Amino acid sequence: MSQTKRFLVVTVAAVTAMGMVGACSKNTDAKPVADGQTGQVNLVVDTFGDFGYKALVEQYQQSHPNVKVELRSVQKLDDYKPKLTQYLAAGTGAGDVVALEEGILNEFKTQPQNFVNLLDHGAADQQGNFLPWKWELGKAGADGPLIGLGTDVGGLAVCYRKDLFAKAKLPTDRDAVSKLWPTWDEFIVTGKKFTAANTGAKGFVDSVTTSFSAMLSQAGETNFYDRDNKLIAESNPAVRQAWDTSMKMVSEGVSAKIATWSKDWEAGFKNGSFATTMCPSWMLGIIKTNSGAANAGKWDVAAVPGGGGNWGGSWLAVPTQSKHPKEAYELAKFLTGPDGQVGAFKEAGPLPSSPKALDDPAFLALTNDYFSQAPVGQIFGAGAKTLKPVVLGPKHQAIKERAFEPAMQAVEQGKLTSDKAWQQALKSAAKEAK
């Protein structure tokens, strides 16, 4: 799950806020399980949002009766990262298996001593299970230790409300909808038609920030940093083009102007406040959770304007503070294996990073009942093997979410002009990069 305020909505019943993580961690339990006496091993998996592991964990526990797994998650990556940072610094409190999202991965890779080198536990024989670039990014340096096994990649689509499209007298069939917007300019044209229809929605797209993220993921090699980790946000044409197109969405009145990951944004899915949102596969679970059972069958999945892109994706790592690194690695290997990735996709939508999983007939045949029986295996699987990573510098996530997104939201709210917001974003980006 980029992101990114990746973010996500917690759907796992056993979810516990990270604020409680430390208190509940096996490392801080008042009465820790005496593994040596009982033979039972307690493992904790920390993620942000829903990685689709509930059924997989039940399966793992059945095949490993001496292992008990607790899933813990928080809603937002912004809340997850500082907690994990704190636990790693303190040497206690982190889960035995922790998720590292692509936007924060590089920052944690600067301190590889906090993580188990998975190669020491035999991970080398798993390399063929991952897209080559996904495997390499799990390493702290070209010849460094392997600190993470890949979970997912972020193939892009647009999720749209069929009922709102029907009210606006726009096509509702997913193939016909996809043909409406081969380009971002044509996406805006469609948005203007939707807005003119006065459906009662606040806007066509939830916010320009989700579109900005999608466009950055399509940009190619670099975003805010070059390959030498030099900040190039001001000079990179890809960043400027994504900014200008986002600002055009504001000026053309197609945005609902709802801050992503806010309570209003979450409620907006259920209330029909907007008709579209950018939809990397990991977003499917978020949309379903936020929209609720009453909106089942109203959402569908169409192509993203401007071609494919890779927004998001994570790795599973084992902190060195774990008392059970071997068992934690075995669990991480299970969850990130080809069958585990298909199971996670089926439950919550994270797109496999395993070529074998992407070729699995069971994956390709998957449809999503909630999203109007959309053939999500085919939609998101198409082209997944050709996705390329975008160079993300050490503070990519902070720059996107604390510099550029607030500036864009200020324009949406009429507090700044586009030019002044651009200057504010660059100034804030330089500050975040220090």
Side-chain angles (χ1 to χ4, degrees):
M1 273 176 258
S2 201
Q3 227 153 6
T4 341
K5 237 165 207 168
R6 237 119 98 5
F7 0 125
L8 315 185
V9 173
V10 178
T11 59
V12 179
V15 166
T16 304
M18 284 295 285
M20 299 172 62
V21 166
C24 299
S25 166
K26 69 177 180 53
N27 291 323
T28 56
D29 282 346
K31 295 181 179 179
V33 174
D35 296 348
Q37 299 174 18
T38 66
Q40 178 174 313
V41 175
N42 289 349
L43 298 177
V44 175
V45 179
D46 283 340
T47 65
F48 42 91
D50 189 356
F51 272 55
Y53 289 162
K54 186 177 181 181
L56 288 169
V57 163
E58 291 176 355
Q59 178 184 343
Y60 192 80
Q61 290 179 144
Q62 290 176 0
S63 61
H64 297 74
N66 66 317
V67 176
K68 183 174 178 56
V69 180
E70 179 186 359
L71 293 173
R72 304 187 304 198
S73 183
V74 294
Q75 183 174 0
K76 297 179 179 179
L77 184 62
D78 266 0
D79 297 328
Y80 175 85
K81 176 180 174 289
K83 294 291 185 183
L84 179 57
T85 301
Q86 174 187 340
Y87 297 147
L88 294 177
T92 185
D96 299 277
V97 178
V98 299
L100 299 176
E101 192 265 348
E102 66 168 11
I104 64 174
L105 175 68
N106 286 336
E107 196 168 347
F108 284 105
K109 282 167 45 170
T110 61
Q111 295 183 310
Q113 70 277 10
N114 286 331
F115 300 97
V116 170
N117 182 359
L118 302 179
L119 296 173
D120 293 341
H121 292 277
D125 61 6
Q126 302 299 306
Q127 184 171 355
N129 284 338
F130 300 92
L131 294 170
W133 62 267
K134 190 74 179 181
W135 174 266
E136 290 300 318
L137 286 177
K139 297 161 64 176
D143 299 318
L146 181 72
I147 68 169
L149 295 175
T151 59
D152 62 315
V153 293
L156 278 175
V158 171
C159 288
Y160 67 99
R161 282 279 296 258
K162 293 194 304 181
D163 57 329
L164 295 179
F165 270 51
K167 281 186 178 180
K169 301 188 183 308
L170 291 171
T172 58
D173 174 77
R174 67 179 68 94
D175 292 331
V177 171
S178 297
K179 292 178 181 177
L180 291 174
W181 49 58
T183 68
W184 285 101
D185 281 342
E186 287 166 294
F187 181 76
I188 294 173
V189 170
T190 303
K192 291 175 67 176
K193 292 178 181 176
F194 178 87
T195 302
N198 295 317
T199 62
K202 292 182 178 178
F204 178 61
V205 64
D206 52 349
S207 167
V208 296
T209 57
T210 52
S211 300
F212 181 73
S213 293
M215 285 182 271
L216 287 180
S217 75
Q218 295 172 323
E221 186 176 4
T222 61
N223 283 175
F224 304 124
Y225 289 90
D226 65 13
R227 287 193 172 275
D228 296 322
N229 285 335
K230 178 184 176 183
L231 187 65
I232 57 170
E234 183 173 8
S235 60
N236 188 347
V239 176
R240 184 69 207 207
Q241 182 175 351
W243 174 275
D244 288 343
T245 303
S246 299
M247 293 300 99
K248 185 177 180 180
M249 289 184 182
V250 178
S251 62
E252 297 289 356
V254 304
S255 172
K257 306 176 183 178
I258 302 175
T260 48
W261 318 114
S262 68
K263 292 296 183 184
D264 287 343
W265 183 74
E266 294 172 7
F269 286 96
K270 182 174 292 183
N271 300 332
S273 298
F274 42 84
T276 65
T277 186
M278 298 305 115
C279 190
S281 62
W282 47 260
M283 189 73 87
L284 296 176
I286 299 172
I287 294 173
K288 179 180 177 180
T289 301
N290 285 336
S291 298
N295 287 313
K298 294 181 180 178
W299 286 92
D300 208 327
V301 185
V304 67
N310 180 35
W311 175 12
S314 297
W315 288 256
L316 293 185
V318 177
T320 50
Q321 66 184 249
S322 171
K323 294 180 180 177
H324 306 288
K326 178 179 181 297
E327 290 83 358
Y329 164 70
E330 291 296 329
L331 175 60
K333 183 174 72 172
F334 170 77
L335 294 173
T336 60
D339 292 341
Q341 292 195 23
V342 173
F345 180 79
K346 183 177 181 180
E347 183 171 313
L351 181 62
S353 60
S354 162
K356 184 177 179 181
L358 292 168
D359 287 336
D360 189 332
F363 164 77
L364 293 171
L366 283 174
T367 59
N368 193 311
D369 294 347
Y370 193 87
F371 290 83
S372 307
Q373 296 290 337
V376 290
Q378 294 180 22
I379 291 173
F380 289 105
K385 292 181 183 177
T386 64
L387 292 176
K388 301 295 183 184
V390 177
V391 174
L392 302 179
K395 298 296 182 64
H396 171 90
Q397 203 65 24
I399 291 171
K400 184 165 76 75
E401 295 181 354
R402 298 177 192 168
F404 277 84
E405 291 186 358
M408 286 188 284
Q409 289 162 355
V411 178
E412 285 187 312
Q413 296 161 10
K415 297 178 179 178
L416 289 176
T417 64
S418 174
D419 288 342
K420 289 186 177 178
W422 172 255
Q423 294 303 320
Q424 175 181 296
L426 294 177
K427 183 177 180 181
S428 298
K431 182 178 179 181
E432 292 290 344
K434 290 182 178 177

